[in-house]
Amino acid sequence: DGGITQSPKYLFRKEGQNVTLSCEQNLNHDAMYWYRQDPGQGLRLIYYSQIVNDFQKGDIAEGYSVSREKKESFPLTVTSAQKNPTAFYLCASSPGLAGGFAVEQFFGPGTRLTVL
Amino acid sequence: SQKIEQNSEALNIQEGKTATLTCNYTNYSPAYLQWYRQDPGRGPVFLLLIRENEKEKRKERLKVTFDTTLKQSLFHITASQPADSATYLCALIEYGNKLVFGAGTILRVKS
């Protein structure tokens, strides 16, 4: 059963703590992405990776970090430098470097992060 | 950068009617435009992709149009059902091959 998994579904963090969100895919996709979604706003791109061991900043990368050591995994760390981290975080993947962003993106179920 | 406008007001329609959702963009016409469905608390699901040289694309009860002159895409659901109730997101390819998403329009289909 192929797809994208994100864990945990709900995450609570105290101010000043770093937290890591997991994203795993078994679709054999080259490209992976992290988005943030806030109420009434569109998805905003945090980081993306088109190949293992390489990633680029999206539109709102400040306060976040990622790694891409394996093709199937793209964890996102929300650091204490992120001033307003409470949001719904979505991970996505898409096939092949040739397709780039043009082809459909497959999304995980999301992680809702709340800072207490 | 691109700005995408989708109607922020929810669209309420009666079952069996055609729902029409609008996506307007402000800058250059993208090579591709995509539509996604998102249910509450879940990730978006891809529905349709239309290229700039395609005027219309259909998939079962779904139809998408792309008017580069008006800088607009319309998304139609014919014979709508309560199960079609969701938020529908429009997404465009931006320079650098990044996807830019609209905030989405909530569709409510009443039986």
PDB file of all heavy atoms in Angstrom, chain A residues 9 35 37 40-43 45 59 88 90 101-105 107-109, chain B residues 32 34 36 38 41-44 46 49 89 93 96-99 101-103:
ATOM      1  N   LYS A   9       0.343  12.781  14.362  1.00  0.00           N
ATOM      2  CA  LYS A   9      -0.783  13.528  13.812  1.00  0.00           C
ATOM      3  C   LYS A   9      -0.970  14.834  14.580  1.00  0.00           C
ATOM      4  O   LYS A   9      -1.310  15.855  13.993  1.00  0.00           O
ATOM      5  CB  LYS A   9      -2.060  12.691  13.887  1.00  0.00           C
ATOM      6  CG  LYS A   9      -3.241  13.316  13.183  1.00  0.00           C
ATOM      7  CD  LYS A   9      -4.392  12.345  13.077  1.00  0.00           C
ATOM      8  CE  LYS A   9      -5.593  12.984  12.375  1.00  0.00           C
ATOM      9  NZ  LYS A   9      -5.287  13.393  10.995  1.00  0.00           N
ATOM     10  N   TYR A  35       5.049  21.944   3.454  1.00  0.00           N
ATOM     11  CA  TYR A  35       4.199  23.127   3.419  1.00  0.00           C
ATOM     12  C   TYR A  35       3.670  23.402   4.815  1.00  0.00           C
ATOM     13  O   TYR A  35       3.497  22.497   5.634  1.00  0.00           O
ATOM     14  CB  TYR A  35       2.996  22.909   2.492  1.00  0.00           C
ATOM     15  CG  TYR A  35       3.319  22.760   1.037  1.00  0.00           C
ATOM     16  CD1 TYR A  35       3.529  21.502   0.478  1.00  0.00           C
ATOM     17  CD2 TYR A  35       3.385  23.862   0.197  1.00  0.00           C
ATOM     18  CE1 TYR A  35       3.809  21.352  -0.867  1.00  0.00           C
ATOM     19  CE2 TYR A  35       3.657  23.727  -1.155  1.00  0.00           C
ATOM     20  CZ  TYR A  35       3.870  22.469  -1.672  1.00  0.00           C
ATOM     21  OH  TYR A  35       4.138  22.332  -3.003  1.00  0.00           O
ATOM     22  N   GLN A  37       0.209  25.272   6.545  1.00  0.00           N
ATOM     23  CA  GLN A  37      -1.127  25.781   6.232  1.00  0.00           C
ATOM     24  C   GLN A  37      -1.701  26.431   7.478  1.00  0.00           C
ATOM     25  O   GLN A  37      -1.782  25.813   8.541  1.00  0.00           O
ATOM     26  CB  GLN A  37      -2.057  24.658   5.748  1.00  0.00           C
ATOM     27  CG  GLN A  37      -3.397  25.150   5.249  1.00  0.00           C
ATOM     28  CD  GLN A  37      -4.231  24.045   4.642  1.00  0.00           C
ATOM     29  OE1 GLN A  37      -4.200  22.905   5.088  1.00  0.00           O
ATOM     30  NE2 GLN A  37      -5.000  24.370   3.609  1.00  0.00           N
ATOM     31  N   GLY A  40      -7.460  30.053   6.582  1.00  0.00           N
ATOM     32  CA  GLY A  40      -7.757  31.109   5.638  1.00  0.00           C
ATOM     33  C   GLY A  40      -6.626  31.452   4.685  1.00  0.00           C
ATOM     34  O   GLY A  40      -6.738  32.394   3.898  1.00  0.00           O
ATOM     35  N   GLN A  41      -5.547  30.693   4.735  1.00  0.00           N
ATOM     36  CA  GLN A  41      -4.409  30.956   3.839  1.00  0.00           C
ATOM     37  C   GLN A  41      -4.098  29.731   3.003  1.00  0.00           C
ATOM     38  O   GLN A  41      -4.403  28.606   3.381  1.00  0.00           O
ATOM     39  CB  GLN A  41      -3.173  31.333   4.660  1.00  0.00           C
ATOM     40  CG  GLN A  41      -3.302  32.625   5.433  1.00  0.00           C
ATOM     41  CD  GLN A  41      -1.962  33.078   5.979  1.00  0.00           C
ATOM     42  OE1 GLN A  41      -0.928  32.975   5.316  1.00  0.00           O
ATOM     43  NE2 GLN A  41      -1.963  33.598   7.194  1.00  0.00           N
ATOM     44  N   GLY A  42      -3.462  29.985   1.884  1.00  0.00           N
ATOM     45  CA  GLY A  42      -3.021  28.881   1.041  1.00  0.00           C
ATOM     46  C   GLY A  42      -1.829  28.180   1.657  1.00  0.00           C
ATOM     47  O   GLY A  42      -1.216  28.665   2.606  1.00  0.00           O
ATOM     48  N   LEU A  43      -1.484  27.032   1.099  1.00  0.00           N
ATOM     49  CA  LEU A  43      -0.293  26.320   1.544  1.00  0.00           C
ATOM     50  C   LEU A  43       0.946  27.149   1.197  1.00  0.00           C
ATOM     51  O   LEU A  43       1.054  27.674   0.084  1.00  0.00           O
ATOM     52  CB  LEU A  43      -0.190  24.963   0.835  1.00  0.00           C
ATOM     53  CG  LEU A  43      -1.001  23.805   1.392  1.00  0.00           C
ATOM     54  CD1 LEU A  43      -2.487  24.042   1.231  1.00  0.00           C
ATOM     55  CD2 LEU A  43      -0.594  22.505   0.729  1.00  0.00           C
ATOM     56  N   LEU A  45       5.159  27.135   0.983  1.00  0.00           N
ATOM     57  CA  LEU A  45       6.274  26.211   0.849  1.00  0.00           C
ATOM     58  C   LEU A  45       7.395  26.565   1.816  1.00  0.00           C
ATOM     59  O   LEU A  45       7.884  27.694   1.819  1.00  0.00           O
ATOM     60  CB  LEU A  45       6.792  26.233  -0.597  1.00  0.00           C
ATOM     61  CG  LEU A  45       7.906  25.265  -0.952  1.00  0.00           C
ATOM     62  CD1 LEU A  45       7.424  23.823  -0.827  1.00  0.00           C
ATOM     63  CD2 LEU A  45       8.391  25.538  -2.373  1.00  0.00           C
ATOM     64  N   ASP A  59       9.479  29.583   0.459  1.00  0.00           N
ATOM     65  CA  ASP A  59       9.142  30.980   0.728  1.00  0.00           C
ATOM     66  C   ASP A  59       9.238  31.366   2.194  1.00  0.00           C
ATOM     67  O   ASP A  59       9.389  32.535   2.531  1.00  0.00           O
ATOM     68  CB  ASP A  59       7.722  31.267   0.221  1.00  0.00           C
ATOM     69  CG  ASP A  59       7.601  31.044  -1.272  1.00  0.00           C
ATOM     70  OD1 ASP A  59       8.533  31.436  -2.003  1.00  0.00           O
ATOM     71  OD2 ASP A  59       6.592  30.458  -1.698  1.00  0.00           O
ATOM     72  N   PHE A  88      -0.728  23.770  10.715  1.00  0.00           N
ATOM     73  CA  PHE A  88      -0.907  22.436  10.146  1.00  0.00           C
ATOM     74  C   PHE A  88       0.210  22.237   9.122  1.00  0.00           C
ATOM     75  O   PHE A  88       0.339  23.025   8.186  1.00  0.00           O
ATOM     76  CB  PHE A  88      -2.288  22.365   9.503  1.00  0.00           C
ATOM     77  CG  PHE A  88      -2.718  21.003   9.054  1.00  0.00           C
ATOM     78  CD1 PHE A  88      -2.575  19.893   9.875  1.00  0.00           C
ATOM     79  CD2 PHE A  88      -3.289  20.813   7.808  1.00  0.00           C
ATOM     80  CE1 PHE A  88      -2.986  18.633   9.472  1.00  0.00           C
ATOM     81  CE2 PHE A  88      -3.712  19.555   7.392  1.00  0.00           C
ATOM     82  CZ  PHE A  88      -3.554  18.467   8.224  1.00  0.00           C
ATOM     83  N   LEU A  90       2.143  20.013   6.237  1.00  0.00           N
ATOM     84  CA  LEU A  90       1.873  19.003   5.222  1.00  0.00           C
ATOM     85  C   LEU A  90       3.141  18.663   4.459  1.00  0.00           C
ATOM     86  O   LEU A  90       3.873  19.540   4.023  1.00  0.00           O
ATOM     87  CB  LEU A  90       0.817  19.511   4.236  1.00  0.00           C
ATOM     88  CG  LEU A  90      -0.601  19.578   4.787  1.00  0.00           C
ATOM     89  CD1 LEU A  90      -1.450  20.536   3.986  1.00  0.00           C
ATOM     90  CD2 LEU A  90      -1.235  18.189   4.792  1.00  0.00           C
ATOM     91  N   PHE A 101       7.838  20.460 -10.687  1.00  0.00           N
ATOM     92  CA  PHE A 101       6.627  20.776  -9.958  1.00  0.00           C
ATOM     93  C   PHE A 101       5.385  20.632 -10.834  1.00  0.00           C
ATOM     94  O   PHE A 101       4.294  20.866 -10.387  1.00  0.00           O
ATOM     95  CB  PHE A 101       6.690  22.212  -9.450  1.00  0.00           C
ATOM     96  CG  PHE A 101       7.564  22.377  -8.249  1.00  0.00           C
ATOM     97  CD1 PHE A 101       8.929  22.459  -8.367  1.00  0.00           C
ATOM     98  CD2 PHE A 101       7.005  22.432  -6.988  1.00  0.00           C
ATOM     99  CE1 PHE A 101       9.735  22.617  -7.259  1.00  0.00           C
ATOM    100  CE2 PHE A 101       7.807  22.593  -5.868  1.00  0.00           C
ATOM    101  CZ  PHE A 101       9.172  22.691  -6.005  1.00  0.00           C
ATOM    102  N   ALA A 102       5.551  20.294 -12.073  1.00  0.00           N
ATOM    103  CA  ALA A 102       4.423  20.300 -12.978  1.00  0.00           C
ATOM    104  C   ALA A 102       3.460  19.167 -12.702  1.00  0.00           C
ATOM    105  O   ALA A 102       2.270  19.319 -12.875  1.00  0.00           O
ATOM    106  CB  ALA A 102       4.907  20.220 -14.423  1.00  0.00           C
ATOM    107  N   VAL A 103       3.970  18.049 -12.286  1.00  0.00           N
ATOM    108  CA  VAL A 103       3.099  16.910 -12.075  1.00  0.00           C
ATOM    109  C   VAL A 103       2.442  17.005 -10.714  1.00  0.00           C
ATOM    110  O   VAL A 103       2.825  17.788  -9.858  1.00  0.00           O
ATOM    111  CB  VAL A 103       3.864  15.589 -12.220  1.00  0.00           C
ATOM    112  CG1 VAL A 103       4.431  15.463 -13.622  1.00  0.00           C
ATOM    113  CG2 VAL A 103       4.969  15.502 -11.197  1.00  0.00           C
ATOM    114  N   GLU A 104       1.441  16.162 -10.533  1.00  0.00           N
ATOM    115  CA  GLU A 104       0.686  16.210  -9.295  1.00  0.00           C
ATOM    116  C   GLU A 104       1.563  15.924  -8.097  1.00  0.00           C
ATOM    117  O   GLU A 104       2.557  15.199  -8.182  1.00  0.00           O
ATOM    118  CB  GLU A 104      -0.441  15.187  -9.360  1.00  0.00           C
ATOM    119  CG  GLU A 104       0.058  13.756  -9.443  1.00  0.00           C
ATOM    120  CD  GLU A 104      -1.073  12.774  -9.637  1.00  0.00           C
ATOM    121  OE1 GLU A 104      -1.682  12.397  -8.623  1.00  0.00           O
ATOM    122  OE2 GLU A 104      -1.308  12.392 -10.790  1.00  0.00           O
ATOM    123  N   GLN A 105       1.164  16.486  -6.988  1.00  0.00           N
ATOM    124  CA  GLN A 105       1.831  16.217  -5.725  1.00  0.00           C
ATOM    125  C   GLN A 105       0.923  15.344  -4.866  1.00  0.00           C
ATOM    126  O   GLN A 105      -0.285  15.531  -4.833  1.00  0.00           O
ATOM    127  CB  GLN A 105       2.163  17.521  -5.001  1.00  0.00           C
ATOM    128  CG  GLN A 105       3.214  18.332  -5.749  1.00  0.00           C
ATOM    129  CD  GLN A 105       3.778  19.482  -4.947  1.00  0.00           C
ATOM    130  OE1 GLN A 105       3.518  19.631  -3.758  1.00  0.00           O
ATOM    131  NE2 GLN A 105       4.583  20.306  -5.599  1.00  0.00           N
ATOM    132  N   PHE A 107       0.063  14.190  -1.128  1.00  0.00           N
ATOM    133  CA  PHE A 107       0.203  14.740   0.211  1.00  0.00           C
ATOM    134  C   PHE A 107       0.018  13.686   1.292  1.00  0.00           C
ATOM    135  O   PHE A 107      -0.757  12.742   1.132  1.00  0.00           O
ATOM    136  CB  PHE A 107      -0.818  15.862   0.441  1.00  0.00           C
ATOM    137  CG  PHE A 107      -0.460  17.144  -0.240  1.00  0.00           C
ATOM    138  CD1 PHE A 107      -0.770  17.355  -1.570  1.00  0.00           C
ATOM    139  CD2 PHE A 107       0.209  18.145   0.448  1.00  0.00           C
ATOM    140  CE1 PHE A 107      -0.431  18.531  -2.217  1.00  0.00           C
ATOM    141  CE2 PHE A 107       0.545  19.329  -0.177  1.00  0.00           C
ATOM    142  CZ  PHE A 107       0.222  19.527  -1.508  1.00  0.00           C
ATOM    143  N   GLY A 108       0.711  13.885   2.410  1.00  0.00           N
ATOM    144  CA  GLY A 108       0.487  13.088   3.589  1.00  0.00           C
ATOM    145  C   GLY A 108      -0.720  13.619   4.358  1.00  0.00           C
ATOM    146  O   GLY A 108      -1.323  14.617   3.974  1.00  0.00           O
ATOM    147  N   PRO A 109      -1.053  12.967   5.478  1.00  0.00           N
ATOM    148  CA  PRO A 109      -2.238  13.359   6.247  1.00  0.00           C
ATOM    149  C   PRO A 109      -2.037  14.603   7.110  1.00  0.00           C
ATOM    150  O   PRO A 109      -3.006  15.149   7.630  1.00  0.00           O
ATOM    151  CB  PRO A 109      -2.502  12.138   7.124  1.00  0.00           C
ATOM    152  CG  PRO A 109      -1.163  11.505   7.282  1.00  0.00           C
ATOM    153  CD  PRO A 109      -0.442  11.739   5.989  1.00  0.00           C
TER     154      PRO A 109
ATOM    155  N   TYR B  32       1.110  25.417 -16.277  1.00  0.00           N
ATOM    156  CA  TYR B  32       0.204  24.398 -15.760  1.00  0.00           C
ATOM    157  C   TYR B  32      -0.626  24.996 -14.638  1.00  0.00           C
ATOM    158  O   TYR B  32      -0.187  25.892 -13.928  1.00  0.00           O
ATOM    159  CB  TYR B  32       0.973  23.211 -15.161  1.00  0.00           C
ATOM    160  CG  TYR B  32       1.967  22.559 -16.067  1.00  0.00           C
ATOM    161  CD1 TYR B  32       3.263  23.042 -16.150  1.00  0.00           C
ATOM    162  CD2 TYR B  32       1.620  21.443 -16.822  1.00  0.00           C
ATOM    163  CE1 TYR B  32       4.190  22.444 -16.971  1.00  0.00           C
ATOM    164  CE2 TYR B  32       2.546  20.837 -17.641  1.00  0.00           C
ATOM    165  CZ  TYR B  32       3.824  21.341 -17.705  1.00  0.00           C
ATOM    166  OH  TYR B  32       4.740  20.738 -18.527  1.00  0.00           O
ATOM    167  N   GLN B  34      -3.302  23.416 -11.509  1.00  0.00           N
ATOM    168  CA  GLN B  34      -3.806  22.193 -10.888  1.00  0.00           C
ATOM    169  C   GLN B  34      -4.943  22.518  -9.923  1.00  0.00           C
ATOM    170  O   GLN B  34      -4.989  23.603  -9.346  1.00  0.00           O
ATOM    171  CB  GLN B  34      -2.686  21.493 -10.113  1.00  0.00           C
ATOM    172  CG  GLN B  34      -1.462  21.162 -10.938  1.00  0.00           C
ATOM    173  CD  GLN B  34      -0.402  20.438 -10.127  1.00  0.00           C
ATOM    174  OE1 GLN B  34      -0.664  19.938  -9.036  1.00  0.00           O
ATOM    175  NE2 GLN B  34       0.795  20.356 -10.669  1.00  0.00           N
ATOM    176  N   TYR B  36      -6.945  20.781  -6.495  1.00  0.00           N
ATOM    177  CA  TYR B  36      -6.885  19.783  -5.433  1.00  0.00           C
ATOM    178  C   TYR B  36      -8.139  19.878  -4.581  1.00  0.00           C
ATOM    179  O   TYR B  36      -8.738  20.953  -4.453  1.00  0.00           O
ATOM    180  CB  TYR B  36      -5.668  20.013  -4.522  1.00  0.00           C
ATOM    181  CG  TYR B  36      -4.339  19.712  -5.153  1.00  0.00           C
ATOM    182  CD1 TYR B  36      -3.738  20.609  -6.022  1.00  0.00           C
ATOM    183  CD2 TYR B  36      -3.668  18.524  -4.868  1.00  0.00           C
ATOM    184  CE1 TYR B  36      -2.508  20.339  -6.610  1.00  0.00           C
ATOM    185  CE2 TYR B  36      -2.430  18.241  -5.437  1.00  0.00           C
ATOM    186  CZ  TYR B  36      -1.864  19.153  -6.297  1.00  0.00           C
ATOM    187  OH  TYR B  36      -0.642  18.884  -6.869  1.00  0.00           O
ATOM    188  N   GLN B  38      -9.443  19.214  -0.593  1.00  0.00           N
ATOM    189  CA  GLN B  38      -8.965  19.000   0.766  1.00  0.00           C
ATOM    190  C   GLN B  38     -10.155  18.868   1.715  1.00  0.00           C
ATOM    191  O   GLN B  38     -11.000  19.755   1.789  1.00  0.00           O
ATOM    192  CB  GLN B  38      -8.061  20.140   1.233  1.00  0.00           C
ATOM    193  CG  GLN B  38      -7.425  19.888   2.591  1.00  0.00           C
ATOM    194  CD  GLN B  38      -6.435  20.948   3.013  1.00  0.00           C
ATOM    195  OE1 GLN B  38      -6.507  22.081   2.547  1.00  0.00           O
ATOM    196  NE2 GLN B  38      -5.505  20.592   3.892  1.00  0.00           N
ATOM    197  N   GLY B  41      -8.897  18.675   8.131  1.00  0.00           N
ATOM    198  CA  GLY B  41      -7.893  17.947   8.892  1.00  0.00           C
ATOM    199  C   GLY B  41      -7.100  16.934   8.096  1.00  0.00           C
ATOM    200  O   GLY B  41      -6.402  16.101   8.683  1.00  0.00           O
ATOM    201  N   ARG B  42      -7.185  16.991   6.763  1.00  0.00           N
ATOM    202  CA  ARG B  42      -6.480  16.029   5.918  1.00  0.00           C
ATOM    203  C   ARG B  42      -5.656  16.744   4.853  1.00  0.00           C
ATOM    204  O   ARG B  42      -5.800  17.943   4.617  1.00  0.00           O
ATOM    205  CB  ARG B  42      -7.488  15.087   5.259  1.00  0.00           C
ATOM    206  CG  ARG B  42      -8.393  14.402   6.275  1.00  0.00           C
ATOM    207  CD  ARG B  42      -9.263  13.372   5.661  1.00  0.00           C
ATOM    208  NE  ARG B  42      -8.499  12.175   5.303  1.00  0.00           N
ATOM    209  CZ  ARG B  42      -9.056  11.039   4.925  1.00  0.00           C
ATOM    210  NH1 ARG B  42     -10.359  10.950   4.852  1.00  0.00           N
ATOM    211  NH2 ARG B  42      -8.315   9.999   4.615  1.00  0.00           N
ATOM    212  N   GLY B  43      -4.758  15.994   4.221  1.00  0.00           N
ATOM    213  CA  GLY B  43      -3.954  16.568   3.157  1.00  0.00           C
ATOM    214  C   GLY B  43      -4.735  16.695   1.871  1.00  0.00           C
ATOM    215  O   GLY B  43      -5.686  15.958   1.632  1.00  0.00           O
ATOM    216  N   PRO B  44      -4.353  17.646   1.006  1.00  0.00           N
ATOM    217  CA  PRO B  44      -5.020  17.798  -0.287  1.00  0.00           C
ATOM    218  C   PRO B  44      -4.836  16.564  -1.164  1.00  0.00           C
ATOM    219  O   PRO B  44      -3.836  15.854  -1.055  1.00  0.00           O
ATOM    220  CB  PRO B  44      -4.317  19.012  -0.905  1.00  0.00           C
ATOM    221  CG  PRO B  44      -3.706  19.742   0.237  1.00  0.00           C
ATOM    222  CD  PRO B  44      -3.339  18.680   1.228  1.00  0.00           C
ATOM    223  N   PHE B  46      -4.954  15.485  -5.281  1.00  0.00           N
ATOM    224  CA  PHE B  46      -4.917  15.985  -6.649  1.00  0.00           C
ATOM    225  C   PHE B  46      -6.161  15.549  -7.414  1.00  0.00           C
ATOM    226  O   PHE B  46      -6.596  14.389  -7.322  1.00  0.00           O
ATOM    227  CB  PHE B  46      -3.661  15.466  -7.350  1.00  0.00           C
ATOM    228  CG  PHE B  46      -3.614  15.761  -8.825  1.00  0.00           C
ATOM    229  CD1 PHE B  46      -3.220  17.006  -9.280  1.00  0.00           C
ATOM    230  CD2 PHE B  46      -3.976  14.793  -9.747  1.00  0.00           C
ATOM    231  CE1 PHE B  46      -3.172  17.274 -10.631  1.00  0.00           C
ATOM    232  CE2 PHE B  46      -3.931  15.055 -11.099  1.00  0.00           C
ATOM    233  CZ  PHE B  46      -3.527  16.299 -11.549  1.00  0.00           C
ATOM    234  N   LEU B  49      -5.118  18.431 -13.739  1.00  0.00           N
ATOM    235  CA  LEU B  49      -4.086  19.354 -14.199  1.00  0.00           C
ATOM    236  C   LEU B  49      -4.457  19.796 -15.603  1.00  0.00           C
ATOM    237  O   LEU B  49      -4.879  18.978 -16.432  1.00  0.00           O
ATOM    238  CB  LEU B  49      -2.720  18.663 -14.209  1.00  0.00           C
ATOM    239  CG  LEU B  49      -1.503  19.459 -14.700  1.00  0.00           C
ATOM    240  CD1 LEU B  49      -0.245  18.975 -13.996  1.00  0.00           C
ATOM    241  CD2 LEU B  49      -1.321  19.343 -16.203  1.00  0.00           C
ATOM    242  N   LEU B  89      -8.752  23.633  -3.794  1.00  0.00           N
ATOM    243  CA  LEU B  89      -7.573  24.486  -3.921  1.00  0.00           C
ATOM    244  C   LEU B  89      -7.103  24.545  -5.362  1.00  0.00           C
ATOM    245  O   LEU B  89      -7.035  23.524  -6.044  1.00  0.00           O
ATOM    246  CB  LEU B  89      -6.424  23.940  -3.061  1.00  0.00           C
ATOM    247  CG  LEU B  89      -6.702  23.633  -1.602  1.00  0.00           C
ATOM    248  CD1 LEU B  89      -5.484  22.968  -0.968  1.00  0.00           C
ATOM    249  CD2 LEU B  89      -7.035  24.903  -0.855  1.00  0.00           C
ATOM    250  N   ILE B  93       2.023  26.865 -11.248  1.00  0.00           N
ATOM    251  CA  ILE B  93       3.467  26.742 -11.295  1.00  0.00           C
ATOM    252  C   ILE B  93       4.058  28.138 -11.400  1.00  0.00           C
ATOM    253  O   ILE B  93       3.676  28.920 -12.276  1.00  0.00           O
ATOM    254  CB  ILE B  93       3.909  25.915 -12.510  1.00  0.00           C
ATOM    255  CG1 ILE B  93       3.231  24.567 -12.514  1.00  0.00           C
ATOM    256  CG2 ILE B  93       5.422  25.785 -12.533  1.00  0.00           C
ATOM    257  CD1 ILE B  93       3.597  23.693 -11.360  1.00  0.00           C
ATOM    258  N   GLY B  96      10.736  29.108 -11.417  1.00  0.00           N
ATOM    259  CA  GLY B  96      11.527  28.278 -10.531  1.00  0.00           C
ATOM    260  C   GLY B  96      10.835  26.977 -10.221  1.00  0.00           C
ATOM    261  O   GLY B  96      11.291  26.195  -9.399  1.00  0.00           O
ATOM    262  N   ASN B  97       9.723  26.757 -10.910  1.00  0.00           N
ATOM    263  CA  ASN B  97       8.989  25.505 -10.781  1.00  0.00           C
ATOM    264  C   ASN B  97       8.464  25.246  -9.384  1.00  0.00           C
ATOM    265  O   ASN B  97       8.452  24.116  -8.914  1.00  0.00           O
ATOM    266  CB  ASN B  97       9.847  24.321 -11.244  1.00  0.00           C
ATOM    267  CG  ASN B  97       9.746  24.119 -12.729  1.00  0.00           C
ATOM    268  OD1 ASN B  97       8.864  24.670 -13.373  1.00  0.00           O
ATOM    269  ND2 ASN B  97      10.627  23.338 -13.280  1.00  0.00           N
ATOM    270  N   LYS B  98       8.045  26.297  -8.693  1.00  0.00           N
ATOM    271  CA  LYS B  98       7.410  26.102  -7.402  1.00  0.00           C
ATOM    272  C   LYS B  98       5.903  26.196  -7.555  1.00  0.00           C
ATOM    273  O   LYS B  98       5.393  26.968  -8.362  1.00  0.00           O
ATOM    274  CB  LYS B  98       7.893  27.164  -6.418  1.00  0.00           C
ATOM    275  CG  LYS B  98       9.369  27.056  -6.084  1.00  0.00           C
ATOM    276  CD  LYS B  98       9.767  28.009  -4.973  1.00  0.00           C
ATOM    277  CE  LYS B  98       9.670  29.456  -5.406  1.00  0.00           C
ATOM    278  NZ  LYS B  98      10.180  30.363  -4.356  1.00  0.00           N
ATOM    279  N   LEU B  99       5.184  25.392  -6.789  1.00  0.00           N
ATOM    280  CA  LEU B  99       3.726  25.466  -6.772  1.00  0.00           C
ATOM    281  C   LEU B  99       3.277  26.555  -5.823  1.00  0.00           C
ATOM    282  O   LEU B  99       3.765  26.636  -4.691  1.00  0.00           O
ATOM    283  CB  LEU B  99       3.128  24.135  -6.314  1.00  0.00           C
ATOM    284  CG  LEU B  99       2.729  23.104  -7.354  1.00  0.00           C
ATOM    285  CD1 LEU B  99       2.083  21.908  -6.686  1.00  0.00           C
ATOM    286  CD2 LEU B  99       1.788  23.690  -8.387  1.00  0.00           C
ATOM    287  N   PHE B 101      -0.207  27.966  -4.059  1.00  0.00           N
ATOM    288  CA  PHE B 101      -1.582  27.555  -3.799  1.00  0.00           C
ATOM    289  C   PHE B 101      -2.455  28.745  -3.441  1.00  0.00           C
ATOM    290  O   PHE B 101      -2.017  29.680  -2.755  1.00  0.00           O
ATOM    291  CB  PHE B 101      -1.635  26.563  -2.629  1.00  0.00           C
ATOM    292  CG  PHE B 101      -1.222  25.168  -2.978  1.00  0.00           C
ATOM    293  CD1 PHE B 101       0.112  24.807  -2.975  1.00  0.00           C
ATOM    294  CD2 PHE B 101      -2.169  24.219  -3.311  1.00  0.00           C
ATOM    295  CE1 PHE B 101       0.507  23.516  -3.290  1.00  0.00           C
ATOM    296  CE2 PHE B 101      -1.796  22.930  -3.638  1.00  0.00           C
ATOM    297  CZ  PHE B 101      -0.456  22.579  -3.627  1.00  0.00           C
ATOM    298  N   GLY B 102      -3.700  28.690  -3.876  1.00  0.00           N
ATOM    299  CA  GLY B 102      -4.693  29.615  -3.383  1.00  0.00           C
ATOM    300  C   GLY B 102      -5.179  29.153  -2.018  1.00  0.00           C
ATOM    301  O   GLY B 102      -4.883  28.036  -1.588  1.00  0.00           O
ATOM    302  N   ALA B 103      -5.949  30.020  -1.345  1.00  0.00           N
ATOM    303  CA  ALA B 103      -6.448  29.698  -0.009  1.00  0.00           C
ATOM    304  C   ALA B 103      -7.601  28.691  -0.056  1.00  0.00           C
ATOM    305  O   ALA B 103      -7.945  28.098   0.952  1.00  0.00           O
ATOM    306  CB  ALA B 103      -6.888  30.961   0.714  1.00  0.00           C
TER     307      ALA B 103
END
